[in-house]
Amino acid sequence: MAEKITGAEAIIRSMISEGVDLVFGYPGGAIISVYDKLYDYTSSITHILTRHEQGAVHAAQGYARVSGKTGVVIVTSGPGATNVITGISDALMDSTPLVVITGQVSVDLLGTDAFQETDVVGITQPITKWSYQIRKVEEIPAMVAKAFHIANSGRPGPVVLDIAKEAQMGKIEWGEYHKCNYIRSYIPLPEIKHADLQKVADLINSAERPMIISGHGVMISGAEDALQSLAEKADIPVATTLLGLSTIPTGHPLNKGLVGMHGNIAPNWKTNEADVLIAIGMRFDDRVTGDKSHYAKNAKVVHIDIDSSEFDKNIKTTATVHGDAKQVLEALLPMISEAKHRDWIKSFEKPEATEYEAVIKKASYPEDPESPMRMGEVARKVAEAAGKNPVLVTDVGQNQLLSARYFRYNSPRSIITSGGLGTMGFGLPASIGAKLGAPDRQVCFFCGDGGFQMTIQELGTIMQYGMAVKIIILNNHFLGNVRQWQSLFFNNRFSQTQMLNPDFTEIAKAYGIPGENVGSRRDLNGAIKRMMDYPGAYVLNVRVDEKDMVFPMTPNGSPVDFIMLDRNNIYKPEKS
């Protein structure tokens, strides 16, 4: 006779069958049955109690992004469920696999405005891959299996299971758990068409000025080696999107840097000189393309992506291949001829490019030792001290753009940042998840004073679980990125961006986390060394120049090769 268990226990056993050994969450009345049963499974599942439900989702994102596994979150109904909405939306934008389990009131109370009742499915359907309400206990094993299959197959993303009290408390006969491998209406791995591969191969083989843009999809599919093999065989320079950083090592000779609004100068302007542009696992976001009518104007555009809805959505293509990036590149590689594009690659380093990059670099190598510290120099020095294989986690804003630019990436899955949604407050909880997903790697978290205070309570999670995260606050007492735009485009009208901040190191001290304030350049190197040498979490609160800005910059809506070197110096290639 089959064993009878509650739906709450069936949820936990189903997760264990899916290989889950770590979850993030926050208990409450409508999910208390699951938490009660979780008490019996502490040897199989570690639960991380964050200090806010939003923190739980961002932590699960950091864990999923660095490990490649599905992040799992458990929260209660009503405000517990609505507090995860920002993180779910962020996960959808950045294709992060999550299964979010929310408690729900009893079925007979649905639609009655019961205590802590919220229409979770209605709210989350537009921002998930799939959202479903379980009302009957018998549905639990199959729906959990379906949720994990959808979340981490094809283009990954978040799934929500809203589980009513009856389903949690009812009894079910527990038999053999069956993972979901097939849904008739869902084809996560499309069949790659040989004709599409041939068209792309012909374009690449005939190209004189080819260029690859590597996106987040390369990292998701584990296609880094295949990308590098393609680039080396056909001698193609590679640029990356923000989320594509670390898909090719920083020191690789074909890596030409970051594209987009605050990208490197050469790959941005060369986008408009390339004759074949090969976009892999990226969506031509507006922060990458600038003015779309002037984007890649001389190029035949090849787009490789697992999500065909991205094709021709933003940029008109010449050829597309619908499929997983790794499978596509491995199938394409034998069809590509060996080539050399010496003059084209050398043009990325022509004197104008290096001269303009030197202008930008100077901002991170100030000559006056008494001048205010710059964000770039802090990011550069931390990157130099971080060791061989660090993970960079960022919040959103100037801290994000400068640290991403100056870090060095030697291994895949080395940057965790909120790209599509741009969520301030993302970074601190995401760094917790990243450390749990990569416990043997140094996790360096950069944030501004604004974003840090949005989820500062997660210092309590770091304290409770001993997460050895290195926290670097670039503190300018402003919402720095907004201030930059106000300065450049709104006549220095700093409306509601200046901040009066507490002493962050004293707050960290209250959580048992050591730290120090750094106000002068002469103290920076020693403080960074002490932070890196300390075995646990550490807070470095660095006072930086409030007037410091992130350059280069392509203003919103400008052509990608219209580049501001500073507020008074603009580079625009001459028309050929």
Side-chain angles (χ1 to χ4, degrees):
M1 187 174 181
E3 179 186 10
K4 279 201 167 186
I5 61 173
T6 65
E9 188 167 5
I11 293 167
I12 294 167
R13 289 194 183 186
S14 297
M15 290 194 299
I16 293 170
S17 298
E18 291 289 345
V20 175
D21 57 9
L22 180 71
V23 301
F24 303 85
Y26 206 99
I31 198 69
I32 197 168
S33 297
V34 173
Y35 272 88
D36 179 65
K37 281 299 173 184
L38 191 61
Y39 191 86
D40 298 328
Y41 285 86
T42 54
S43 62
S44 300
I45 295 181
T46 298
H47 181 281
I48 302 298
L49 175 66
T50 57
R51 297 306 184 261
H52 191 281
E53 290 91 351
Q54 182 178 350
V57 183
H58 292 326
Q61 287 177 271
Y63 173 79
R65 294 264 289 274
V66 81
S67 69
K69 299 177 181 179
T70 301
V72 179
V73 178
I74 305 174
V75 298
T76 193
S77 64
T82 57
N83 279 343
V84 301
I85 298 303
T86 298
I88 291 171
S89 184
D90 193 290
L92 184 71
M93 289 285 279
D94 286 349
S95 303
T96 304
L98 297 181
V99 171
V100 180
I101 294 172
T102 62
Q104 186 54 274
V105 301
S106 301
V107 172
D108 63 328
L109 293 178
L110 291 172
T112 68
D113 293 330
F115 178 68
Q116 293 193 334
E117 180 203 358
T118 299
D119 182 2
V120 174
V121 172
I123 292 171
T124 59
Q125 274 184 334
I127 55 170
T128 55
K129 284 188 73 176
W130 182 55
S131 184
Y132 184 77
Q133 186 175 80
I134 298 176
R135 299 186 179 188
K136 297 179 180 179
V137 65
E138 293 81 11
E139 293 183 287
I140 286 174
M143 293 304 102
V144 171
K146 185 176 180 180
F148 276 90
H149 176 58
I150 292 173
N152 208 358
S153 62
R155 181 177 183 173
V159 169
V160 168
L161 291 178
D162 187 47
I163 308 180
K165 280 188 176 181
E166 283 93 336
Q168 297 176 43
M169 299 174 72
K171 291 292 186 76
I172 183 176
E173 288 189 353
W174 183 258
E176 184 180 355
Y177 180 84
H178 299 283
K179 289 189 176 184
C180 178
N181 296 310
Y182 173 75
I183 300 171
R184 187 174 62 179
S185 58
Y186 174 56
I187 305 174
L189 286 177
E191 183 179 351
I192 300 167
K193 297 179 180 178
H194 180 79
D196 292 342
L197 290 173
Q198 188 62 60
K199 187 174 182 180
V200 169
D202 291 344
L203 287 169
I204 293 174
N205 289 335
S206 62
E208 296 180 358
R209 300 182 306 280
M211 177 174 163
I212 292 171
I213 300 181
S214 175
H216 193 202
V218 173
M219 185 186 300
I220 291 170
S221 70
E224 293 89 352
D225 289 345
L227 166 72
Q228 191 168 316
S229 296
L230 173 65
E232 289 171 350
K233 185 175 184 181
D235 202 28
I236 304 175
V238 180
T240 74
T241 66
L242 178 64
L243 293 179
L245 287 168
S246 84
T247 56
I248 184 169
T250 299
H252 194 287
L254 291 173
N255 185 354
K256 301 305 176 184
L258 181 68
V259 293
M261 178 177 282
H262 292 286
N264 294 93
I265 294 166
N268 269 343
W269 96 43
K270 291 296 174 181
T271 298
N272 279 358
E273 293 183 17
D275 62 354
V276 174
L277 188 69
I278 306 131
I280 308 171
M282 54 90 75
R283 55 192 175 85
F284 291 109
D285 173 75
D286 62 289
R287 290 296 174 100
V288 167
T289 65
D291 181 356
K292 294 181 177 65
S293 66
H294 290 88
Y295 182 78
K297 54 189 177 182
N298 295 311
K300 295 175 181 177
V301 176
V302 171
H303 196 173
I304 298 168
D305 207 286
I306 199 163
D307 185 353
S308 61
S309 71
E310 296 293 348
F311 297 152
D312 299 313
K313 184 173 79 175
N314 293 319
I315 297 297
K316 183 66 178 174
T317 59
T318 302
T320 63
V321 183
H322 183 203
D324 172 77
K326 183 178 180 180
Q327 293 182 359
V328 171
L329 294 180
E330 289 178 344
L332 184 63
L333 195 59
M335 305 168 70
I336 299 299
S337 303
E338 291 191 15
K340 291 294 179 185
H341 300 103
R342 293 186 182 90
D343 291 342
W344 167 238
I345 291 173
K346 191 176 180 180
S347 73
F348 281 74
E349 309 298 334
K350 65 183 183 179
E352 307 97 281
T354 55
E355 177 185 344
Y356 292 131
E357 285 288 353
V359 172
I360 305 305
K361 259 187 182 177
K362 190 175 180 181
S364 72
Y365 293 85
E367 296 175 359
D368 180 3
E370 301 303 321
S371 65
M373 280 184 289
R374 311 294 293 271
M375 294 177 288
E377 68 177 302
V378 179
R380 174 179 57 82
K381 288 184 175 182
V382 171
E384 289 170 354
K388 284 186 176 181
N389 194 26
V391 176
L392 171 65
V393 181
T394 85
D395 207 73
V396 168
Q398 291 176 315
N399 66 88
Q400 173 188 38
L401 304 165
L402 266 299
S403 59
R405 182 179 179 86
Y406 285 104
F407 247 70
R408 295 184 65 81
Y409 307 99
N410 303 311
S411 302
R413 297 185 180 273
S414 292
I415 180 170
I416 311 296
T417 191
S418 174
L421 199 62
T423 304
M424 288 180 67
F426 167 87
L428 184 58
S431 70
I432 294 169
K435 188 62 180 177
L436 287 162
D440 297 328
R441 299 176 69 182
Q442 185 78 274
V443 174
C444 297
F445 163 51
F446 279 83
C447 61
D449 43 304
F452 184 56
Q453 293 180 88
M454 285 194 170
T455 50
I456 194 171
Q457 70 275 1
E458 298 307 332
L459 291 175
T461 309
I462 290 175
M463 174 182 66
Q464 182 165 344
Y465 298 99
M467 299 289 98
V469 176
K470 310 305 180 184
I471 301 167
I472 302 97
I473 307 169
L474 300 179
N475 189 347
N476 57 13
H477 288 268
F478 268 90
L479 298 176
N481 212 39
V482 182
R483 185 192 189 282
Q484 175 166 337
W485 283 55
Q486 289 174 333
S487 179
L488 293 175
F489 310 121
F490 292 90
N491 300 314
N492 292 315
R493 290 161 60 89
F494 302 124
S495 177
Q496 305 305 316
T497 45
Q498 190 168 12
M499 303 188 77
L500 177 63
N501 292 325
D503 186 334
F504 295 125
T505 61
E506 287 297 312
I507 293 175
K509 183 179 178 182
Y511 284 102
I513 301 171
E516 55 188 295
N517 296 311
V518 184
S520 66
R521 183 168 289 109
R522 67 175 63 89
D523 298 327
L524 182 59
N525 288 339
I528 291 173
K529 186 177 188 307
R530 286 187 291 275
M531 176 180 69
M532 293 302 182
D533 288 345
Y534 188 75
Y538 203 94
V539 171
L540 211 62
N541 180 38
V542 186
R543 184 70 166 93
V544 295
D545 186 356
E546 67 183 35
K547 297 179 181 179
D548 197 9
M549 297 190 192
V550 181
F551 290 108
M553 179 181 186
T554 296
N556 197 31
S558 298
V560 71
D561 54 7
F562 181 97
I563 298 168
M564 298 179 68
L565 304 175
D566 55 43
R567 67 182 308 137
N568 301 311
N569 192 356
I570 297 173
Y571 172 75
K572 178 71 171 73
E574 295 180 5
K575 294 181 179 179
S576 56

